[in-house]
Amino acid sequence: MRKVVKFGGSSLASAEQFKKVGNIIHADAERKFVVPSAPGKRDADDTKVTDMLYECYDLAESGKNFKEQLQAIKTRYQEIIDGLALKLSLDEEFKTIEKNLKEKAGRDYAASRGEYLNGIIMAAYLGFEFVDAAEVIRFDEHGEFDSETTNKLMRERLSHLKAAVIPGFYGAKEDGTVKTFSRGGSDITGSIVARAVKADVYENWTDVSGFLVADPRIIYKPEPISTITYKELRELAYMGASVLHEDAIFPVRREGIPINIRNTNAPEDEGTWIVESTCQKPKYVITGIAGKKGFCAVNIEKDSMNSEVGFGRKVLQVFEDSGISFEHVPSGIDTMTVFVHQDEFMHKEQKVVSGIHRLADPDTIEIEADLALIAVVGRGMKSTRGTAGRIFSALAHSNVNVKMIDQGSSELNIIIGVANADFETAIKAIYDIFVLCQL
Ligand code: ASP
């Protein structure tokens, strides 16, 4: 067995956390490839090293002095080194970083140093080889991640090593310019490494014991999810369930490698398994509920629109021309509604309205703001009758008015639109009917 283990920022925020990570790695000889994040928050009021680095970059860019801010970062690393009793000096590294920041080496370069330095410490602590991600993770000249070149480089480099630490979050273009993924991107690095070494499992260690059926800020102590499919996860992650970066499943999915979300602070917990497919029945009909506020519905009416060939295309063309992506488009005989993100749409609304009039000649256009979308996701829905019925009667009993319903033919999810103000009530009602009533 070969395992790739990725540790998030809170798992590596201090020497104490590093020690827990060391114990986890030493407890299993199969944990050979380690992907660290930068040190995260030690408590709620703390600042992540990545954010401290962005601050240094902003100061450097505007020609201001950033010595004090850089020193604060150095102190954080020094505390970890001292706490682990390592004989390691980062002096030279910090000199290089200071010089490069003065020479405006770029925002991504600045941010990437958090993982880079943590990787050096982790490698020294474990006695593993350090592999700079800039050598093995490749972005093309437009800054797009080049998955195939990366896979080749990574596979070749790691094939000679028994154990290695590869820092998360960044890679480089062919000319050496450092480029990062979006925030939380170390999850993607872990997945890339798992694919390259054909790992049996990608363990993603964080500060929660896996995915929960619903957001704990809305539901008191929600039930954990033990197994979830990649597809279900995509749906939930897209709708705001944020344990794992939403792009992290792509590399492992190509090889069918399962991801196991684990808790560094409770390593005995089994966590959540993310798999391609499973015959394990979910505990409840639904696997999870997630949602987001802040949507707008653009309701377009035209008599007999359904029989007018090309009407939908013309309407969507206007959204495309305005650079707005749409979320859902439920339609009827005389109406079509386009759901969009309110903050993206707000500044362009009049342009869109006149554009639709010009191109599609509708009778009326109405805009409704402050809506929320809720996704009820579950592979179990396919084989269960009455799921939609239960959802809507639960919402009706809680006095929630449903504005929109969208169920794809895959029967993996049902999307419901409600007013922002009803968001929490709706989630509670759905959770209660599927989880609490079944406990
Ligand atoms: N350190 C980066 C961030 O804070 C990347 C990561 O932790 O995955 O977003």
Side-chain angles (χ1 to χ4, degrees), residues 112-124:
S112 74
R113 296 304 88 184
E115 272 68 12
Y116 171 80
L117 295 169
N118 232 18
I120 293 177
I121 299 177
M122 178 66 89

Side-chain angles (χ1 to χ4, degrees), residues 6 9 37-38 48 50 115 169 182-187:
K6 178 260 166 181
S37 276
K48 292 179 176 187
T50 308
E115 272 68 12
F169 192 36
S182 57
R183 293 299 303 262
S186 299
D187 287 339

Side-chain angles (χ1 to χ4, degrees), residues 162-177:
K162 281 210 181 74
V165 174
I166 309 101
F169 192 36
Y170 72 95
K173 296 185 190 174
E174 206 173 349
D175 67 4
T177 313

Side-chain angles (χ1 to χ4, degrees), residues 143-172:
E144 294 295 323
F145 171 56
D146 179 348
S147 63
E148 294 321 300
T149 310
T150 298
N151 194 41
K152 211 165 146 266
L153 290 171
M154 184 77 82
R155 193 170 354 112
E156 275 167 16
R157 181 78 169 86
L158 299 185
S159 64
H160 309 294
L161 302 174
K162 281 210 181 74
V165 174
I166 309 101
F169 192 36
Y170 72 95

Side-chain angles (χ1 to χ4, degrees), residues 204-309:
N204 187 294
W205 292 81
T206 175
D207 52 10
V208 288
S209 294
F211 276 89
L212 300 169
V213 173
D215 188 337
R217 287 166 298 186
I218 300 173
I219 304 292
Y220 178 68
K221 289 203 175 167
E223 287 280 302
I225 300 175
S226 60
T227 308
I228 183 170
T229 64
Y230 295 145
K231 280 190 190 152
E232 289 174 309
L233 178 72
R234 284 283 298 154
E235 300 287 346
L236 289 173
Y238 184 70
M239 276 306 215
S242 62
V243 175
L244 190 76
H245 191 292
E246 60 170 318
D247 292 337
I249 59 167
F250 295 127
V252 285
R253 189 154 90 169
R254 302 175 82 117
E255 296 280 336
I257 300 167
I259 307 174
N260 186 197
I261 307 284
R262 299 286 291 267
N263 188 348
T264 302
N265 304 316
E268 60 290 348
D269 288 356
E270 173 70 3
T272 298
W273 284 91
I274 306 165
V275 299
E276 180 169 2
S277 187
T278 174
C279 63
Q280 278 192 44
K281 292 233 170 0
K283 200 163 162 201
Y284 312 103
V285 174
I286 60 160
T287 304
I289 315 162
K292 276 187 197 165
K293 289 183 182 177
F295 291 93
C296 248
V298 183
N299 194 15
I300 303 133
E301 282 197 32
K302 185 174 187 181
D303 283 345
S304 308
M305 121 191 346
N306 243 19
S307 49
E308 188 180 321
V309 176

